mmCIF file with all atom_site columns, all heavy atoms in Angstrom:
data_model
loop_
_atom_site.group_PDB
_atom_site.id
_atom_site.type_symbol
_atom_site.label_atom_id
_atom_site.label_alt_id
_atom_site.label_comp_id
_atom_site.label_asym_id
_atom_site.label_entity_id
_atom_site.label_seq_id
_atom_site.pdbx_PDB_ins_code
_atom_site.Cartn_x
_atom_site.Cartn_y
_atom_site.Cartn_z
_atom_site.occupancy
_atom_site.B_iso_or_equiv
_atom_site.pdbx_formal_charge
_atom_site.auth_seq_id
_atom_site.auth_comp_id
_atom_site.auth_asym_id
_atom_site.auth_atom_id
_atom_site.pdbx_PDB_model_num
ATOM 1   N N   . TYR A 1 1  ? 0.509   -17.530 4.613  1.00 98.00 ? 267 TYR A N   1
ATOM 2   C CA  . TYR A 1 1  ? 0.461   -16.500 3.578  1.00 98.00 ? 267 TYR A CA  1
ATOM 3   C C   . TYR A 1 1  ? -0.437  -15.341 4.001  1.00 98.00 ? 267 TYR A C   1
ATOM 4   O O   . TYR A 1 1  ? -1.337  -15.486 4.835  1.00 98.00 ? 267 TYR A O   1
ATOM 5   C CB  . TYR A 1 1  ? -0.091  -17.088 2.273  1.00 98.00 ? 267 TYR A CB  1
ATOM 6   C CG  . TYR A 1 1  ? 0.632   -18.307 1.795  1.00 98.00 ? 267 TYR A CG  1
ATOM 7   C CD1 . TYR A 1 1  ? 0.155   -19.586 2.085  1.00 98.00 ? 267 TYR A CD1 1
ATOM 8   C CD2 . TYR A 1 1  ? 1.808   -18.193 1.069  1.00 98.00 ? 267 TYR A CD2 1
ATOM 9   C CE1 . TYR A 1 1  ? 0.825   -20.711 1.662  1.00 98.00 ? 267 TYR A CE1 1
ATOM 10  C CE2 . TYR A 1 1  ? 2.486   -19.323 0.636  1.00 98.00 ? 267 TYR A CE2 1
ATOM 11  C CZ  . TYR A 1 1  ? 1.995   -20.568 0.935  1.00 98.00 ? 267 TYR A CZ  1
ATOM 12  O OH  . TYR A 1 1  ? 2.666   -21.687 0.508  1.00 98.00 ? 267 TYR A OH  1
ATOM 13  N N   . LEU A 1 2  ? -0.185  -14.188 3.393  1.00 98.00 ? 268 LEU A N   1
ATOM 14  C CA  . LEU A 1 2  ? -1.102  -13.053 3.511  1.00 98.00 ? 268 LEU A CA  1
ATOM 15  C C   . LEU A 1 2  ? -1.255  -12.461 2.120  1.00 98.00 ? 268 LEU A C   1
ATOM 16  O O   . LEU A 1 2  ? -0.313  -11.848 1.595  1.00 98.00 ? 268 LEU A O   1
ATOM 17  C CB  . LEU A 1 2  ? -0.583  -12.005 4.488  1.00 98.00 ? 268 LEU A CB  1
ATOM 18  C CG  . LEU A 1 2  ? -1.546  -10.845 4.749  1.00 98.00 ? 268 LEU A CG  1
ATOM 19  C CD1 . LEU A 1 2  ? -2.784  -11.343 5.526  1.00 98.00 ? 268 LEU A CD1 1
ATOM 20  C CD2 . LEU A 1 2  ? -0.863  -9.710  5.518  1.00 98.00 ? 268 LEU A CD2 1
ATOM 21  N N   . GLN A 1 3  ? -2.407  -12.679 1.503  1.00 98.00 ? 269 GLN A N   1
ATOM 22  C CA  . GLN A 1 3  ? -2.723  -12.080 0.216  1.00 98.00 ? 269 GLN A CA  1
ATOM 23  C C   . GLN A 1 3  ? -3.293  -10.700 0.478  1.00 98.00 ? 269 GLN A C   1
ATOM 24  O O   . GLN A 1 3  ? -4.316  -10.559 1.164  1.00 98.00 ? 269 GLN A O   1
ATOM 25  C CB  . GLN A 1 3  ? -3.734  -12.930 -0.548 1.00 98.00 ? 269 GLN A CB  1
ATOM 26  C CG  . GLN A 1 3  ? -4.136  -12.356 -1.900 1.00 98.00 ? 269 GLN A CG  1
ATOM 27  C CD  . GLN A 1 3  ? -2.986  -12.313 -2.879 1.00 98.00 ? 269 GLN A CD  1
ATOM 28  O OE1 . GLN A 1 3  ? -2.224  -13.271 -2.992 1.00 98.00 ? 269 GLN A OE1 1
ATOM 29  N NE2 . GLN A 1 3  ? -2.854  -11.202 -3.593 1.00 98.00 ? 269 GLN A NE2 1
ATOM 30  N N   . MET A 1 4  ? -2.637  -9.684  -0.072 1.00 98.00 ? 270 MET A N   1
ATOM 31  C CA  . MET A 1 4  ? -2.998  -8.294  0.182  1.00 98.00 ? 270 MET A CA  1
ATOM 32  C C   . MET A 1 4  ? -3.478  -7.693  -1.126 1.00 98.00 ? 270 MET A C   1
ATOM 33  O O   . MET A 1 4  ? -2.690  -7.524  -2.064 1.00 98.00 ? 270 MET A O   1
ATOM 34  C CB  . MET A 1 4  ? -1.789  -7.532  0.714  1.00 98.00 ? 270 MET A CB  1
ATOM 35  C CG  . MET A 1 4  ? -1.089  -8.243  1.877  1.00 98.00 ? 270 MET A CG  1
ATOM 36  S SD  . MET A 1 4  ? 0.552   -7.585  2.248  1.00 98.00 ? 270 MET A SD  1
ATOM 37  C CE  . MET A 1 4  ? 0.127   -5.977  2.871  1.00 98.00 ? 270 MET A CE  1
ATOM 38  N N   . ASN A 1 5  ? -4.754  -7.357  -1.200 1.00 98.00 ? 271 ASN A N   1
ATOM 39  C CA  . ASN A 1 5  ? -5.342  -6.749  -2.392 1.00 98.00 ? 271 ASN A CA  1
ATOM 40  C C   . ASN A 1 5  ? -5.824  -5.343  -2.079 1.00 98.00 ? 271 ASN A C   1
ATOM 41  O O   . ASN A 1 5  ? -5.966  -4.966  -0.912 1.00 98.00 ? 271 ASN A O   1
ATOM 42  C CB  . ASN A 1 5  ? -6.513  -7.595  -2.891 1.00 98.00 ? 271 ASN A CB  1
ATOM 43  C CG  . ASN A 1 5  ? -6.092  -8.983  -3.333 1.00 98.00 ? 271 ASN A CG  1
ATOM 44  O OD1 . ASN A 1 5  ? -4.961  -9.200  -3.766 1.00 98.00 ? 271 ASN A OD1 1
ATOM 45  N ND2 . ASN A 1 5  ? -7.006  -9.938  -3.212 1.00 98.00 ? 271 ASN A ND2 1
ATOM 46  N N   . SER A 1 6  ? -6.094  -4.575  -3.118 1.00 98.00 ? 272 SER A N   1
ATOM 47  C CA  . SER A 1 6  ? -6.598  -3.196  -2.967 1.00 98.00 ? 272 SER A CA  1
ATOM 48  C C   . SER A 1 6  ? -5.753  -2.422  -1.967 1.00 98.00 ? 272 SER A C   1
ATOM 49  O O   . SER A 1 6  ? -6.278  -1.766  -1.056 1.00 98.00 ? 272 SER A O   1
ATOM 50  C CB  . SER A 1 6  ? -8.069  -3.214  -2.526 1.00 98.00 ? 272 SER A CB  1
ATOM 51  O OG  . SER A 1 6  ? -8.873  -3.916  -3.447 1.00 98.00 ? 272 SER A OG  1
ATOM 52  N N   . LEU A 1 7  ? -4.449  -2.488  -2.145 1.00 98.00 ? 273 LEU A N   1
ATOM 53  C CA  . LEU A 1 7  ? -3.525  -1.865  -1.191 1.00 98.00 ? 273 LEU A CA  1
ATOM 54  C C   . LEU A 1 7  ? -3.717  -0.356  -1.144 1.00 98.00 ? 273 LEU A C   1
ATOM 55  O O   . LEU A 1 7  ? -4.041  0.296   -2.155 1.00 98.00 ? 273 LEU A O   1
ATOM 56  C CB  . LEU A 1 7  ? -2.091  -2.211  -1.556 1.00 98.00 ? 273 LEU A CB  1
ATOM 57  C CG  . LEU A 1 7  ? -1.662  -3.633  -1.174 1.00 98.00 ? 273 LEU A CG  1
ATOM 58  C CD1 . LEU A 1 7  ? -0.397  -4.026  -1.919 1.00 98.00 ? 273 LEU A CD1 1
ATOM 59  C CD2 . LEU A 1 7  ? -1.451  -3.740  0.320  1.00 98.00 ? 273 LEU A CD2 1
ATOM 60  N N   . LYS A 1 8  ? -3.472  0.188   0.047  1.00 97.00 ? 274 LYS A N   1
ATOM 61  C CA  . LYS A 1 8  ? -3.571  1.625   0.295  1.00 97.00 ? 274 LYS A CA  1
ATOM 62  C C   . LYS A 1 8  ? -2.244  2.122   0.855  1.00 97.00 ? 274 LYS A C   1
ATOM 63  O O   . LYS A 1 8  ? -1.521  1.360   1.504  1.00 97.00 ? 274 LYS A O   1
ATOM 64  C CB  . LYS A 1 8  ? -4.668  1.908   1.315  1.00 97.00 ? 274 LYS A CB  1
ATOM 65  C CG  . LYS A 1 8  ? -6.033  1.358   0.965  1.00 97.00 ? 274 LYS A CG  1
ATOM 66  C CD  . LYS A 1 8  ? -7.014  1.602   2.101  1.00 97.00 ? 274 LYS A CD  1
ATOM 67  C CE  . LYS A 1 8  ? -8.384  1.049   1.781  1.00 97.00 ? 274 LYS A CE  1
ATOM 68  N NZ  . LYS A 1 8  ? -9.344  1.253   2.897  1.00 97.00 ? 274 LYS A NZ  1
ATOM 69  N N   . PRO A 1 9  ? -1.939  3.406   0.668  1.00 96.00 ? 275 PRO A N   1
ATOM 70  C CA  . PRO A 1 9  ? -0.716  3.947   1.282  1.00 96.00 ? 275 PRO A CA  1
ATOM 71  C C   . PRO A 1 9  ? -0.665  3.716   2.797  1.00 96.00 ? 275 PRO A C   1
ATOM 72  O O   . PRO A 1 9  ? 0.411   3.524   3.352  1.00 96.00 ? 275 PRO A O   1
ATOM 73  C CB  . PRO A 1 9  ? -0.783  5.438   0.932  1.00 96.00 ? 275 PRO A CB  1
ATOM 74  C CG  . PRO A 1 9  ? -1.518  5.465   -0.368 1.00 96.00 ? 275 PRO A CG  1
ATOM 75  C CD  . PRO A 1 9  ? -2.570  4.378   -0.249 1.00 96.00 ? 275 PRO A CD  1
ATOM 76  N N   . ALA A 1 10 ? -1.821  3.691   3.443  1.00 96.00 ? 276 ALA A N   1
ATOM 77  C CA  . ALA A 1 10 ? -1.874  3.461   4.886  1.00 96.00 ? 276 ALA A CA  1
ATOM 78  C C   . ALA A 1 10 ? -1.433  2.058   5.277  1.00 96.00 ? 276 ALA A C   1
ATOM 79  O O   . ALA A 1 10 ? -1.172  1.784   6.457  1.00 96.00 ? 276 ALA A O   1
ATOM 80  C CB  . ALA A 1 10 ? -3.286  3.714   5.413  1.00 96.00 ? 276 ALA A CB  1
ATOM 81  N N   . ASP A 1 11 ? -1.326  1.136   4.296  1.00 97.00 ? 277 ASP A N   1
ATOM 82  C CA  . ASP A 1 11 ? -0.854  -0.217  4.592  1.00 97.00 ? 277 ASP A CA  1
ATOM 83  C C   . ASP A 1 11 ? 0.669   -0.281  4.688  1.00 97.00 ? 277 ASP A C   1
ATOM 84  O O   . ASP A 1 11 ? 1.218   -1.334  5.037  1.00 97.00 ? 277 ASP A O   1
ATOM 85  C CB  . ASP A 1 11 ? -1.320  -1.180  3.488  1.00 97.00 ? 277 ASP A CB  1
ATOM 86  C CG  . ASP A 1 11 ? -2.827  -1.317  3.421  1.00 97.00 ? 277 ASP A CG  1
ATOM 87  O OD1 . ASP A 1 11 ? -3.482  -1.319  4.481  1.00 97.00 ? 277 ASP A OD1 1
ATOM 88  O OD2 . ASP A 1 11 ? -3.364  -1.424  2.295  1.00 97.00 ? 277 ASP A OD2 1
ATOM 89  N N   . THR A 1 12 ? 1.350   0.806   4.359  1.00 97.00 ? 278 THR A N   1
ATOM 90  C CA  . THR A 1 12 ? 2.815   0.842   4.400  1.00 97.00 ? 278 THR A CA  1
ATOM 91  C C   . THR A 1 12 ? 3.317   0.586   5.813  1.00 97.00 ? 278 THR A C   1
ATOM 92  O O   . THR A 1 12 ? 2.929   1.289   6.758  1.00 97.00 ? 278 THR A O   1
ATOM 93  C CB  . THR A 1 12 ? 3.331   2.204   3.900  1.00 97.00 ? 278 THR A CB  1
ATOM 94  O OG1 . THR A 1 12 ? 2.974   2.346   2.516  1.00 97.00 ? 278 THR A OG1 1
ATOM 95  C CG2 . THR A 1 12 ? 4.834   2.300   4.057  1.00 97.00 ? 278 THR A CG2 1
ATOM 96  N N   . ALA A 1 13 ? 4.171   -0.432  5.958  1.00 98.00 ? 279 ALA A N   1
ATOM 97  C CA  . ALA A 1 13 ? 4.681   -0.825  7.275  1.00 98.00 ? 279 ALA A CA  1
ATOM 98  C C   . ALA A 1 13 ? 5.625   -2.005  7.090  1.00 98.00 ? 279 ALA A C   1
ATOM 99  O O   . ALA A 1 13 ? 5.723   -2.571  6.000  1.00 98.00 ? 279 ALA A O   1
ATOM 100 C CB  . ALA A 1 13 ? 3.533   -1.237  8.201  1.00 98.00 ? 279 ALA A CB  1
ATOM 101 N N   . VAL A 1 14 ? 6.284   -2.373  8.183  1.00 98.00 ? 280 VAL A N   1
ATOM 102 C CA  . VAL A 1 14 ? 6.982   -3.659  8.238  1.00 98.00 ? 280 VAL A CA  1
ATOM 103 C C   . VAL A 1 14 ? 5.980   -4.684  8.739  1.00 98.00 ? 280 VAL A C   1
ATOM 104 O O   . VAL A 1 14 ? 5.301   -4.453  9.757  1.00 98.00 ? 280 VAL A O   1
ATOM 105 C CB  . VAL A 1 14 ? 8.206   -3.599  9.160  1.00 98.00 ? 280 VAL A CB  1
ATOM 106 C CG1 . VAL A 1 14 ? 8.861   -4.973  9.254  1.00 98.00 ? 280 VAL A CG1 1
ATOM 107 C CG2 . VAL A 1 14 ? 9.206   -2.563  8.654  1.00 98.00 ? 280 VAL A CG2 1
ATOM 108 N N   . TYR A 1 15 ? 5.873   -5.793  8.020  1.00 98.00 ? 281 TYR A N   1
ATOM 109 C CA  . TYR A 1 15 ? 4.929   -6.861  8.369  1.00 98.00 ? 281 TYR A CA  1
ATOM 110 C C   . TYR A 1 15 ? 5.702   -8.020  8.984  1.00 98.00 ? 281 TYR A C   1
ATOM 111 O O   . TYR A 1 15 ? 6.719   -8.471  8.431  1.00 98.00 ? 281 TYR A O   1
ATOM 112 C CB  . TYR A 1 15 ? 4.166   -7.315  7.128  1.00 98.00 ? 281 TYR A CB  1
ATOM 113 C CG  . TYR A 1 15 ? 3.098   -6.343  6.726  1.00 98.00 ? 281 TYR A CG  1
ATOM 114 C CD1 . TYR A 1 15 ? 3.432   -5.115  6.157  1.00 98.00 ? 281 TYR A CD1 1
ATOM 115 C CD2 . TYR A 1 15 ? 1.752   -6.629  6.933  1.00 98.00 ? 281 TYR A CD2 1
ATOM 116 C CE1 . TYR A 1 15 ? 2.450   -4.196  5.809  1.00 98.00 ? 281 TYR A CE1 1
ATOM 117 C CE2 . TYR A 1 15 ? 0.761   -5.725  6.583  1.00 98.00 ? 281 TYR A CE2 1
ATOM 118 C CZ  . TYR A 1 15 ? 1.116   -4.509  6.023  1.00 98.00 ? 281 TYR A CZ  1
ATOM 119 O OH  . TYR A 1 15 ? 0.155   -3.593  5.677  1.00 98.00 ? 281 TYR A OH  1
ATOM 120 N N   . TYR A 1 16 ? 5.191   -8.499  10.120 1.00 98.00 ? 282 TYR A N   1
ATOM 121 C CA  . TYR A 1 16 ? 5.813   -9.582  10.861 1.00 98.00 ? 282 TYR A CA  1
ATOM 122 C C   . TYR A 1 16 ? 4.863   -10.772 10.948 1.00 98.00 ? 282 TYR A C   1
ATOM 123 O O   . TYR A 1 16 ? 3.655   -10.584 11.184 1.00 98.00 ? 282 TYR A O   1
ATOM 124 C CB  . TYR A 1 16 ? 6.149   -9.152  12.282 1.00 98.00 ? 282 TYR A CB  1
ATOM 125 C CG  . TYR A 1 16 ? 7.134   -8.035  12.392 1.00 98.00 ? 282 TYR A CG  1
ATOM 126 C CD1 . TYR A 1 16 ? 6.721   -6.702  12.409 1.00 98.00 ? 282 TYR A CD1 1
ATOM 127 C CD2 . TYR A 1 16 ? 8.507   -8.289  12.507 1.00 98.00 ? 282 TYR A CD2 1
ATOM 128 C CE1 . TYR A 1 16 ? 7.635   -5.665  12.515 1.00 98.00 ? 282 TYR A CE1 1
ATOM 129 C CE2 . TYR A 1 16 ? 9.429   -7.263  12.622 1.00 98.00 ? 282 TYR A CE2 1
ATOM 130 C CZ  . TYR A 1 16 ? 8.992   -5.952  12.624 1.00 98.00 ? 282 TYR A CZ  1
ATOM 131 O OH  . TYR A 1 16 ? 9.898   -4.928  12.738 1.00 98.00 ? 282 TYR A OH  1
ATOM 132 N N   . CYS A 1 17 ? 5.403   -11.980 10.810 1.00 97.00 ? 283 CYS A N   1
ATOM 133 C CA  . CYS A 1 17 ? 4.589   -13.145 11.135 1.00 97.00 ? 283 CYS A CA  1
ATOM 134 C C   . CYS A 1 17 ? 4.971   -13.631 12.532 1.00 97.00 ? 283 CYS A C   1
ATOM 135 O O   . CYS A 1 17 ? 6.092   -13.400 13.004 1.00 97.00 ? 283 CYS A O   1
ATOM 136 C CB  . CYS A 1 17 ? 4.727   -14.246 10.115 1.00 97.00 ? 283 CYS A CB  1
ATOM 137 S SG  . CYS A 1 17 ? 6.349   -15.026 9.976  1.00 97.00 ? 283 CYS A SG  1
ATOM 138 N N   . ALA A 1 18 ? 4.017   -14.276 13.187 1.00 97.00 ? 284 ALA A N   1
ATOM 139 C CA  . ALA A 1 18 ? 4.200   -14.722 14.555 1.00 97.00 ? 284 ALA A CA  1
ATOM 140 C C   . ALA A 1 18 ? 3.523   -16.069 14.744 1.00 97.00 ? 284 ALA A C   1
ATOM 141 O O   . ALA A 1 18 ? 2.550   -16.391 14.049 1.00 97.00 ? 284 ALA A O   1
ATOM 142 C CB  . ALA A 1 18 ? 3.609   -13.701 15.527 1.00 97.00 ? 284 ALA A CB  1
ATOM 143 N N   . ALA A 1 19 ? 4.049   -16.846 15.696 1.00 95.00 ? 285 ALA A N   1
ATOM 144 C CA  . ALA A 1 19 ? 3.513   -18.179 15.960 1.00 95.00 ? 285 ALA A CA  1
ATOM 145 C C   . ALA A 1 19 ? 3.403   -18.425 17.446 1.00 95.00 ? 285 ALA A C   1
ATOM 146 O O   . ALA A 1 19 ? 4.212   -17.920 18.240 1.00 95.00 ? 285 ALA A O   1
ATOM 147 C CB  . ALA A 1 19 ? 4.419   -19.248 15.326 1.00 95.00 ? 285 ALA A CB  1
ATOM 148 N N   . LYS A 1 20 ? 2.389   -19.225 17.812 1.00 94.00 ? 286 LYS A N   1
ATOM 149 C CA  . LYS A 1 20 ? 2.161   -19.570 19.201 1.00 94.00 ? 286 LYS A CA  1
ATOM 150 C C   . LYS A 1 20 ? 1.632   -21.003 19.240 1.00 94.00 ? 286 LYS A C   1
ATOM 151 O O   . LYS A 1 20 ? 0.647   -21.321 18.570 1.00 94.00 ? 286 LYS A O   1
ATOM 152 C CB  . LYS A 1 20 ? 1.118   -18.630 19.807 1.00 94.00 ? 286 LYS A CB  1
ATOM 153 C CG  . LYS A 1 20 ? 0.570   -19.079 21.139 1.00 94.00 ? 286 LYS A CG  1
ATOM 154 C CD  . LYS A 1 20 ? -0.595  -18.232 21.579 1.00 94.00 ? 286 LYS A CD  1
ATOM 155 C CE  . LYS A 1 20 ? -1.365  -18.850 22.730 1.00 94.00 ? 286 LYS A CE  1
ATOM 156 N NZ  . LYS A 1 20 ? -0.532  -19.081 23.914 1.00 94.00 ? 286 LYS A NZ  1
ATOM 157 N N   . GLU A 1 21 ? 2.280   -21.848 20.029 1.00 91.00 ? 287 GLU A N   1
ATOM 158 C CA  . GLU A 1 21 ? 1.783   -23.208 20.182 1.00 91.00 ? 287 GLU A CA  1
ATOM 159 C C   . GLU A 1 21 ? 0.429   -23.159 20.878 1.00 91.00 ? 287 GLU A C   1
ATOM 160 O O   . GLU A 1 21 ? 0.250   -22.445 21.859 1.00 91.00 ? 287 GLU A O   1
ATOM 161 C CB  . GLU A 1 21 ? 2.772   -24.059 20.981 1.00 91.00 ? 287 GLU A CB  1
ATOM 162 C CG  . GLU A 1 21 ? 2.453   -25.542 20.944 1.00 91.00 ? 287 GLU A CG  1
ATOM 163 C CD  . GLU A 1 21 ? 3.594   -26.400 21.488 1.00 91.00 ? 287 GLU A CD  1
ATOM 164 O OE1 . GLU A 1 21 ? 4.582   -25.828 21.989 1.00 91.00 ? 287 GLU A OE1 1
ATOM 165 O OE2 . GLU A 1 21 ? 3.481   -27.633 21.400 1.00 91.00 ? 287 GLU A OE2 1
ATOM 166 N N   . SER A 1 22 ? -0.537  -23.891 20.328 1.00 88.00 ? 288 SER A N   1
ATOM 167 C CA  . SER A 1 22 ? -1.886  -23.840 20.886 1.00 88.00 ? 288 SER A CA  1
ATOM 168 C C   . SER A 1 22 ? -2.472  -25.240 20.980 1.00 88.00 ? 288 SER A C   1
ATOM 169 O O   . SER A 1 22 ? -2.377  -26.021 20.044 1.00 88.00 ? 288 SER A O   1
ATOM 170 C CB  . SER A 1 22 ? -2.778  -22.971 19.990 1.00 88.00 ? 288 SER A CB  1
ATOM 171 O OG  . SER A 1 22 ? -4.112  -23.015 20.441 1.00 88.00 ? 288 SER A OG  1
ATOM 172 N N   . PRO A 1 23 ? -3.130  -25.545 22.112 1.00 85.00 ? 289 PRO A N   1
ATOM 173 C CA  . PRO A 1 23 ? -3.772  -26.855 22.239 1.00 85.00 ? 289 PRO A CA  1
ATOM 174 C C   . PRO A 1 23 ? -5.140  -26.916 21.574 1.00 85.00 ? 289 PRO A C   1
ATOM 175 O O   . PRO A 1 23 ? -5.759  -27.983 21.507 1.00 85.00 ? 289 PRO A O   1
ATOM 176 C CB  . PRO A 1 23 ? -3.909  -27.015 23.751 1.00 85.00 ? 289 PRO A CB  1
ATOM 177 C CG  . PRO A 1 23 ? -4.052  -25.612 24.244 1.00 85.00 ? 289 PRO A CG  1
ATOM 178 C CD  . PRO A 1 23 ? -3.216  -24.758 23.334 1.00 85.00 ? 289 PRO A CD  1
ATOM 179 N N   . TYR A 1 24 ? -5.609  -25.774 21.056 1.00 84.00 ? 290 TYR A N   1
ATOM 180 C CA  . TYR A 1 24 ? -6.962  -25.686 20.521 1.00 84.00 ? 290 TYR A CA  1
ATOM 181 C C   . TYR A 1 24 ? -6.939  -25.499 19.010 1.00 84.00 ? 290 TYR A C   1
ATOM 182 O O   . TYR A 1 24 ? -6.454  -24.480 18.521 1.00 84.00 ? 290 TYR A O   1
ATOM 183 C CB  . TYR A 1 24 ? -7.715  -24.515 21.161 1.00 84.00 ? 290 TYR A CB  1
ATOM 184 C CG  . TYR A 1 24 ? -7.642  -24.527 22.668 1.00 84.00 ? 290 TYR A CG  1
ATOM 185 C CD1 . TYR A 1 24 ? -6.924  -23.565 23.366 1.00 84.00 ? 290 TYR A CD1 1
ATOM 186 C CD2 . TYR A 1 24 ? -8.296  -25.532 23.395 1.00 84.00 ? 290 TYR A CD2 1
ATOM 187 C CE1 . TYR A 1 24 ? -6.856  -23.594 24.741 1.00 84.00 ? 290 TYR A CE1 1
ATOM 188 C CE2 . TYR A 1 24 ? -8.226  -25.561 24.775 1.00 84.00 ? 290 TYR A CE2 1
ATOM 189 C CZ  . TYR A 1 24 ? -7.493  -24.586 25.439 1.00 84.00 ? 290 TYR A CZ  1
ATOM 190 O OH  . TYR A 1 24 ? -7.431  -24.616 26.800 1.00 84.00 ? 290 TYR A OH  1
ATOM 191 N N   . PHE A 1 25 ? -7.500  -26.458 18.280 1.00 81.00 ? 291 PHE A N   1
ATOM 192 C CA  . PHE A 1 25 ? -7.350  -26.431 16.821 1.00 81.00 ? 291 PHE A CA  1
ATOM 193 C C   . PHE A 1 25 ? -8.066  -25.247 16.187 1.00 81.00 ? 291 PHE A C   1
ATOM 194 O O   . PHE A 1 25 ? -7.726  -24.832 15.093 1.00 81.00 ? 291 PHE A O   1
ATOM 195 C CB  . PHE A 1 25 ? -7.819  -27.753 16.193 1.00 81.00 ? 291 PHE A CB  1
ATOM 196 C CG  . PHE A 1 25 ? -9.309  -27.954 16.233 1.00 81.00 ? 291 PHE A CG  1
ATOM 197 C CD1 . PHE A 1 25 ? -10.109 -27.507 15.191 1.00 81.00 ? 291 PHE A CD1 1
ATOM 198 C CD2 . PHE A 1 25 ? -9.907  -28.601 17.308 1.00 81.00 ? 291 PHE A CD2 1
ATOM 199 C CE1 . PHE A 1 25 ? -11.474 -27.690 15.212 1.00 81.00 ? 291 PHE A CE1 1
ATOM 200 C CE2 . PHE A 1 25 ? -11.282 -28.787 17.343 1.00 81.00 ? 291 PHE A CE2 1
ATOM 201 C CZ  . PHE A 1 25 ? -12.064 -28.336 16.303 1.00 81.00 ? 291 PHE A CZ  1
ATOM 202 N N   . GLY A 1 26 ? -9.066  -24.663 16.876 1.00 85.00 ? 292 GLY A N   1
ATOM 203 C CA  . GLY A 1 26 ? -9.817  -23.567 16.280 1.00 85.00 ? 292 GLY A CA  1
ATOM 204 C C   . GLY A 1 26 ? -9.488  -22.204 16.832 1.00 85.00 ? 292 GLY A C   1
ATOM 205 O O   . GLY A 1 26 ? -10.133 -21.222 16.480 1.00 85.00 ? 292 GLY A O   1
ATOM 206 N N   . ALA A 1 27 ? -8.479  -22.107 17.686 1.00 89.00 ? 293 ALA A N   1
ATOM 207 C CA  . ALA A 1 27 ? -8.201  -20.853 18.379 1.00 89.00 ? 293 ALA A CA  1
ATOM 208 C C   . ALA A 1 27 ? -7.274  -19.943 17.582 1.00 89.00 ? 293 ALA A C   1
ATOM 209 O O   . ALA A 1 27 ? -6.375  -20.406 16.883 1.00 89.00 ? 293 ALA A O   1
ATOM 210 C CB  . ALA A 1 27 ? -7.583  -21.127 19.737 1.00 89.00 ? 293 ALA A CB  1
ATOM 211 N N   . TYR A 1 28 ? -7.505  -18.633 17.678 1.00 90.00 ? 294 TYR A N   1
ATOM 212 C CA  . TYR A 1 28 ? -6.579  -17.633 17.178 1.00 90.00 ? 294 TYR A CA  1
ATOM 213 C C   . TYR A 1 28 ? -6.411  -16.577 18.262 1.00 90.00 ? 294 TYR A C   1
ATOM 214 O O   . TYR A 1 28 ? -7.195  -16.519 19.213 1.00 90.00 ? 294 TYR A O   1
ATOM 215 C CB  . TYR A 1 28 ? -7.063  -16.999 15.874 1.00 90.00 ? 294 TYR A CB  1
ATOM 216 C CG  . TYR A 1 28 ? -8.492  -16.504 15.892 1.00 90.00 ? 294 TYR A CG  1
ATOM 217 C CD1 . TYR A 1 28 ? -8.866  -15.376 16.625 1.00 90.00 ? 294 TYR A CD1 1
ATOM 218 C CD2 . TYR A 1 28 ? -9.479  -17.169 15.168 1.00 90.00 ? 294 TYR A CD2 1
ATOM 219 C CE1 . TYR A 1 28 ? -10.182 -14.937 16.638 1.00 90.00 ? 294 TYR A CE1 1
ATOM 220 C CE2 . TYR A 1 28 ? -10.782 -16.734 15.175 1.00 90.00 ? 294 TYR A CE2 1
ATOM 221 C CZ  . TYR A 1 28 ? -11.132 -15.615 15.907 1.00 90.00 ? 294 TYR A CZ  1
ATOM 222 O OH  . TYR A 1 28 ? -12.428 -15.184 15.914 1.00 90.00 ? 294 TYR A OH  1
ATOM 223 N N   . TYR A 1 29 ? -5.388  -15.758 18.100 1.00 91.00 ? 295 TYR A N   1
ATOM 224 C CA  . TYR A 1 29 ? -4.996  -14.828 19.162 1.00 91.00 ? 295 TYR A CA  1
ATOM 225 C C   . TYR A 1 29 ? -4.686  -13.468 18.560 1.00 91.00 ? 295 TYR A C   1
ATOM 226 O O   . TYR A 1 29 ? -3.977  -13.365 17.568 1.00 91.00 ? 295 TYR A O   1
ATOM 227 C CB  . TYR A 1 29 ? -3.770  -15.375 19.913 1.00 91.00 ? 295 TYR A CB  1
ATOM 228 C CG  . TYR A 1 29 ? -4.000  -16.774 20.447 1.00 91.00 ? 295 TYR A CG  1
ATOM 229 C CD1 . TYR A 1 29 ? -3.736  -17.879 19.660 1.00 91.00 ? 295 TYR A CD1 1
ATOM 230 C CD2 . TYR A 1 29 ? -4.510  -16.977 21.736 1.00 91.00 ? 295 TYR A CD2 1
ATOM 231 C CE1 . TYR A 1 29 ? -3.976  -19.168 20.130 1.00 91.00 ? 295 TYR A CE1 1
ATOM 232 C CE2 . TYR A 1 29 ? -4.740  -18.258 22.200 1.00 91.00 ? 295 TYR A CE2 1
ATOM 233 C CZ  . TYR A 1 29 ? -4.479  -19.346 21.394 1.00 91.00 ? 295 TYR A CZ  1
ATOM 234 O OH  . TYR A 1 29 ? -4.729  -20.605 21.857 1.00 91.00 ? 295 TYR A OH  1
#
């Protein structure tokens, strides 16, 4: 999920989700 609050006109865009298999439980990219 992505909870988006206090939205601004500059937030206007196409939003994409993405996934990557990771061996590290705490890692982000």
Side-chain angles (χ1 to χ4, degrees):
Y267 306 96
L268 185 68
Q269 179 65 44
M270 310 166 68
N271 297 332
S272 302
L273 283 163
K274 305 175 181 179
D277 296 323
T278 296
V280 177
Y281 284 72
Y282 298 90
C283 65
K286 167 189 166 59
E287 191 168 6
S288 174
Y290 309 111
F291 71 90
Y294 50 71
Y295 305 88

